[in-house]
mmCIF file of all heavy atoms in Angstrom:
data_model
loop_
_atom_site.group_PDB
_atom_site.id
_atom_site.type_symbol
_atom_site.label_atom_id
_atom_site.label_comp_id
_atom_site.label_asym_id
_atom_site.label_seq_id
_atom_site.Cartn_x
_atom_site.Cartn_y
_atom_site.Cartn_z
ATOM 1 N N GLU A 731 40.603 30.008 151.243
ATOM 2 C CA GLU A 731 40.033 29.289 150.096
ATOM 3 C C GLU A 731 41.044 29.178 148.962
ATOM 4 O O GLU A 731 41.866 30.067 148.773
ATOM 5 C CB GLU A 731 38.736 29.897 149.543
ATOM 6 C CG GLU A 731 38.499 31.319 149.822
ATOM 7 C CD GLU A 731 37.891 31.427 151.187
ATOM 8 O OE1 GLU A 731 36.726 31.058 151.350
ATOM 9 O OE2 GLU A 731 38.638 31.863 152.082
ATOM 10 N N ARG A 769 24.293 25.172 156.513
ATOM 11 C CA ARG A 769 25.249 25.617 155.478
ATOM 12 C C ARG A 769 24.507 26.234 154.273
ATOM 13 O O ARG A 769 24.916 27.249 153.733
ATOM 14 C CB ARG A 769 26.117 24.432 155.018
ATOM 15 C CG ARG A 769 27.162 24.829 153.979
ATOM 16 C CD ARG A 769 27.965 23.655 153.462
ATOM 17 N NE ARG A 769 28.829 24.074 152.390
ATOM 18 C CZ ARG A 769 30.155 24.263 152.486
ATOM 19 N NH1 ARG A 769 30.767 24.023 153.615
ATOM 20 N NH2 ARG A 769 30.859 24.669 151.456
ATOM 21 N N MET A 789 27.496 29.964 161.841
ATOM 22 C CA MET A 789 28.666 29.058 161.822
ATOM 23 C C MET A 789 28.678 28.216 163.101
ATOM 24 O O MET A 789 28.943 27.014 163.076
ATOM 25 C CB MET A 789 29.991 29.845 161.736
ATOM 26 C CG MET A 789 30.197 30.572 160.432
ATOM 27 S SD MET A 789 30.411 29.440 159.037
ATOM 28 C CE MET A 789 30.481 30.619 157.675
ATOM 29 N N ARG A 793 28.214 24.267 163.718
ATOM 30 C CA ARG A 793 29.228 23.496 164.457
ATOM 31 C C ARG A 793 28.582 22.657 165.553
ATOM 32 O O ARG A 793 28.979 21.508 165.781
ATOM 33 C CB ARG A 793 30.274 24.439 165.054
ATOM 34 C CG ARG A 793 31.324 23.711 165.908
ATOM 35 C CD ARG A 793 32.608 24.513 166.055
ATOM 36 N NE ARG A 793 33.115 24.849 164.744
ATOM 37 C CZ ARG A 793 33.442 26.097 164.359
ATOM 38 N NH1 ARG A 793 33.394 27.087 165.214
ATOM 39 N NH2 ARG A 793 33.848 26.324 163.129
ATOM 40 N N ARG A 815 38.040 22.152 157.930
ATOM 41 C CA ARG A 815 37.755 23.309 158.798
ATOM 42 C C ARG A 815 37.119 22.908 160.140
ATOM 43 O O ARG A 815 36.402 21.919 160.238
ATOM 44 C CB ARG A 815 36.847 24.338 158.125
ATOM 45 C CG ARG A 815 37.384 24.878 156.804
ATOM 46 C CD ARG A 815 36.537 26.079 156.349
ATOM 47 N NE ARG A 815 37.010 26.591 155.073
ATOM 48 C CZ ARG A 815 38.068 27.386 154.947
ATOM 49 N NH1 ARG A 815 38.732 27.757 156.007
ATOM 50 N NH2 ARG A 815 38.448 27.811 153.769
ATOM 51 N N THR A 820 36.671 29.933 162.358
ATOM 52 C CA THR A 820 35.855 31.011 162.944
ATOM 53 C C THR A 820 36.775 32.129 163.445
ATOM 54 O O THR A 820 36.474 33.311 163.324
ATOM 55 C CB THR A 820 34.975 30.471 164.093
ATOM 56 O OG1 THR A 820 34.452 29.211 163.700
ATOM 57 C CG2 THR A 820 33.837 31.412 164.413
ATOM 58 N N TYR A 823 38.149 33.878 160.038
ATOM 59 C CA TYR A 823 37.181 34.618 159.219
ATOM 60 C C TYR A 823 36.323 35.589 160.029
ATOM 61 O O TYR A 823 36.114 36.718 159.619
ATOM 62 C CB TYR A 823 36.257 33.648 158.464
ATOM 63 C CG TYR A 823 36.952 32.942 157.333
ATOM 64 C CD1 TYR A 823 37.719 31.808 157.566
ATOM 65 C CD2 TYR A 823 36.872 33.427 156.030
ATOM 66 C CE1 TYR A 823 38.376 31.152 156.536
ATOM 67 C CE2 TYR A 823 37.526 32.780 154.986
ATOM 68 C CZ TYR A 823 38.278 31.647 155.251
ATOM 69 O OH TYR A 823 38.932 31.029 154.223
ATOM 70 N N GLN A 824 35.781 35.104 161.168
ATOM 71 C CA GLN A 824 34.860 35.980 161.898
ATOM 72 C C GLN A 824 35.613 36.929 162.848
ATOM 73 O O GLN A 824 35.288 38.101 162.917
ATOM 74 C CB GLN A 824 33.822 35.155 162.665
ATOM 75 C CG GLN A 824 32.620 34.737 161.818
ATOM 76 C CD GLN A 824 32.956 33.729 160.727
ATOM 77 O OE1 GLN A 824 33.609 32.723 160.968
ATOM 78 N NE2 GLN A 824 32.506 34.011 159.515
ATOM 79 N N PHE A 874 32.204 33.547 150.172
ATOM 80 C CA PHE A 874 33.537 33.697 150.740
ATOM 81 C C PHE A 874 34.624 33.434 149.694
ATOM 82 O O PHE A 874 35.793 33.604 149.968
ATOM 83 C CB PHE A 874 33.723 32.747 151.927
ATOM 84 C CG PHE A 874 32.822 33.074 153.093
ATOM 85 C CD1 PHE A 874 31.608 32.427 153.254
ATOM 86 C CD2 PHE A 874 33.183 34.033 154.028
ATOM 87 C CE1 PHE A 874 30.778 32.736 154.314
ATOM 88 C CE2 PHE A 874 32.358 34.347 155.088
ATOM 89 C CZ PHE A 874 31.149 33.700 155.236
HETATM 90 P P1 LIG B 2073 34.750 25.798 151.949
HETATM 91 O O1 LIG B 2073 33.785 24.701 152.241
HETATM 92 O O2 LIG B 2073 35.054 25.969 150.510
HETATM 93 O O3 LIG B 2073 35.973 25.707 152.798
HETATM 94 O O4 LIG B 2073 33.993 27.145 152.338
HETATM 95 C C1 LIG B 2073 33.557 27.408 153.601
HETATM 96 C C2 LIG B 2073 33.585 28.901 153.808
HETATM 97 O O5 LIG B 2073 33.059 29.183 155.104
HETATM 98 C C3 LIG B 2073 34.985 29.465 153.768
HETATM 99 O O6 LIG B 2073 34.980 30.666 153.062
HETATM 100 C C4 LIG B 2073 35.295 29.785 155.194
HETATM 101 C C5 LIG B 2073 33.946 30.029 155.804
HETATM 102 N N1 LIG B 2073 33.879 29.717 157.248
HETATM 103 C C6 LIG B 2073 33.782 30.774 158.135
HETATM 104 O O7 LIG B 2073 33.738 31.924 157.734
HETATM 105 N N2 LIG B 2073 33.725 30.472 159.471
HETATM 106 C C7 LIG B 2073 33.755 29.200 159.955
HETATM 107 O O8 LIG B 2073 33.707 28.979 161.185
HETATM 108 C C8 LIG B 2073 33.858 28.118 159.014
HETATM 109 C C9 LIG B 2073 33.886 26.707 159.508
HETATM 110 C C10 LIG B 2073 33.911 28.429 157.674
#
Side-chain angles (χ1 to χ4, degrees):
E731 23 277 288
R769 182 183 174 104
M789 293 293 175
R793 177 158 305 128
R815 303 190 181 280
T820 319
Y823 287 83
Q824 276 68 49
F874 295 95

